[in-house]
């Protein structure tokens, strides 16, 4: 195998790993938007909180306890954000919850900054030894494998849940027409809370996995990751869970190959350049459907 091909494989697996993380966060964006028609800009900062909670939980608790504990704490935070920042504005003009979402994002980011530090905090090594990866260690390490595995399981499980379970069907009904869903007896408040529970759980998984992969965490790690996950959600078609998965992978691969063959200085330019182009030429995204508004 030539060195050029091995390097190509390495960049490809790096892109899949990065894209899987973006997809985990993007699903949270797309689920909330699908039901509330709201961009939850605080979603990336919930990702940050999960990373810091994991640092402190693993300092005194075993991994089997700390991971569920962090997920539960992050879910409670997500529910609190929904109740405080979004629920009172359900019937308000669309601009009001958008401003509230941005304000909640700034609040969480600065709260973490003041409560912790502006420096990077070392993240504990949570990954077990994986001897079966020895033969492909030059293209995929333990963190890459674990991120890919957990992301795939989470996304497939969520897709099956949305498609086949009673609550999943209620979520789809609420997304398509909330007023009609209410007339059919669906509890919209419960569905919205469930959406934030699922989204926050995925943000917690993403925060723990990416921080473990990087080996460090700081107060701003989730802000940029959240913006890129939002880009992935728009790229794939916001409101579509398969679209969020596809958008995350496309963005992750694009960033990885740009960094590998050109320079890491261009990856952010590429990410937000893609966002601008998709909004101009295909605002509904790759898997999104164009909507016709009646006058």
């Amino acid at each position: 195998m030539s060195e050029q091909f091995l390097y190509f494989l390495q960049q490809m697996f790096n892109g899949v790993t990065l894209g899987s993380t973006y997809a985990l966060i993007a699903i949270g964006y797309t689920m909330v938007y699908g039901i509330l028609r709201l961009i939850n800009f605080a979603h990336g900062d919930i990702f940050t909180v999960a990373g810091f909670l994991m640092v402190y939980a693993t300092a005194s608790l075993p991994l089997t306890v700390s991971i569920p504990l962090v997920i539960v704490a992050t879910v409670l935070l997500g529910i609190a954000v929904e109740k405080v920042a979004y629920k009172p504005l359900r019937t308000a003009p669309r601009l009001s919850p958008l401003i509230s979402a941005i304000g909640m994002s700034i609040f969480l980011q600065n709260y973490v900054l003041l409560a912790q530090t502006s420096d990077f905090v070392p993240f504990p090594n949570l990954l077990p030894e994986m001897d079966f990866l020895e033969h492909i260690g030059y293209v995929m390490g333990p963190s890459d494998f674990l991120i890919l595995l957990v992301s795939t399981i989470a996304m497939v499980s969520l897709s099956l849940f949305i498609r086949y379970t009673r609550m999943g069907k209620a979520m789809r009904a609420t997304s398509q027409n909330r007023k009609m869903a209410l007339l059919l007896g669906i509890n919209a408040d419960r569905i919205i809370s469930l959406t934030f529970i699922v989204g926050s759980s995925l943000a917690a998984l993403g925060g723990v996995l990416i921080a473990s992969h990087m080996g460090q965490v700081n107060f701003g790690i989730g802000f940029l990751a959240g913006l890129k996950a939002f880009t992935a959600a728009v790229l794939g078609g916001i409101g579509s869970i398969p679209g969020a998965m596809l958008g995350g992978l496309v963005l992750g691969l694009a960033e990885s190959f740009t960094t590998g063959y050109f320079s890491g200085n261009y990856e952010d330019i590429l990410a937000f350049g893609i966002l601008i182009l998709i909004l101009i030429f295909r605002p509904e995204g790759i898997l999104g459907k164009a909507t016709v508004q009646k006058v």
Side-chain angles (χ1 to χ4, degrees), residues 198-273:
V198 174
S200 298
S201 300
L202 294 176
L205 282 174
V208 170
L209 289 172
I210 196 63
S212 181
H213 180 67
M214 294 176 60
Q216 56 188 2
V217 62
N218 86 324
F219 77 99
I221 188 175
F223 179 73
L224 184 58
L227 286 179
K228 290 186 177 181
F230 170 67
T231 302
V234 174
L235 174 62
I238 194 160
S240 167
I241 291 176
M245 301 178 198
L246 178 61
L249 290 175
V250 170
L251 183 61
L253 287 168
E255 284 194 4
S256 178
F257 283 118
T258 299
T259 301
Y261 287 98
F262 297 99
S263 170
N265 296 327
Y266 298 113
E267 65 175 29
D268 292 343
I269 297 174
L270 174 71
F272 299 114

Side-chain angles (χ1 to χ4, degrees), residues 119-141:
D119 299 327
F120 279 88
V121 176
F123 196 86
N125 184 12
L126 308 176
L127 303 178
E129 294 294 330
M130 300 180 186
D131 296 334
F132 63 90
L133 292 176
E134 287 183 0
H135 301 293
I136 58 171
Y138 47 84
V139 294
M140 176 180 283

Side-chain angles (χ1 to χ4, degrees), residues 82-280:
E82 191 272 325
K83 299 299 182 187
V84 171
Y86 305 141
K87 187 176 181 179
L89 300 173
R90 293 268 172 84
T91 59
R94 188 171 294 184
L95 185 61
S96 298
L98 177 63
I99 294 172
S100 181
I102 295 172
M104 182 57 70
S105 173
I106 295 172
F107 170 79
L108 288 175
Q109 189 175 352
N110 283 275
Y111 177 79
V112 173
L113 171 62
L114 294 173
Q116 302 301 319
T117 175
S118 60
D119 299 327
F120 279 88
V121 176
F123 196 86
N125 184 12
L126 308 176
L127 303 178
E129 294 294 330
M130 300 180 186
D131 296 334
F132 63 90
L133 292 176
E134 287 183 0
H135 301 293
I136 58 171
Y138 47 84
V139 294
M140 176 180 283
S143 61
D144 302 302
F145 176 78
L146 192 60
I147 288 174
L148 183 59
L149 177 65
V150 172
S151 300
T152 302
I153 292 173
M155 286 184 262
V156 170
S157 300
L158 181 59
S159 297
L160 294 175
F161 172 80
I162 295 292
R163 186 172 182 82
Y164 295 109
T165 66
R166 185 177 179 180
M167 292 299 292
K169 292 176 182 178
M171 291 174 74
R172 283 190 286 144
T174 306
S175 174
Q176 291 175 6
N177 193 322
R178 197 194 315 176
K179 290 183 179 179
M180 183 60 70
L182 288 169
L183 292 174
L184 293 173
I186 295 174
N187 189 330
D189 286 335
R190 184 182 300 174
I191 296 301
I192 291 169
S193 295
L194 178 62
T195 302
F196 275 86
I197 288 171
V198 174
S200 298
S201 300
L202 294 176
L205 282 174
V208 170
L209 289 172
I210 196 63
S212 181
H213 180 67
M214 294 176 60
Q216 56 188 2
V217 62
N218 86 324
F219 77 99
I221 188 175
F223 179 73
L224 184 58
L227 286 179
K228 290 186 177 181
F230 170 67
T231 302
V234 174
L235 174 62
I238 194 160
S240 167
I241 291 176
M245 301 178 198
L246 178 61
L249 290 175
V250 170
L251 183 61
L253 287 168
E255 284 194 4
S256 178
F257 283 118
T258 299
T259 301
Y261 287 98
F262 297 99
S263 170
N265 296 327
Y266 298 113
E267 65 175 29
D268 292 343
I269 297 174
L270 174 71
F272 299 114
I274 289 175
L275 176 61
I276 293 171
L277 291 175
I278 201 71
L279 288 173
I280 293 173

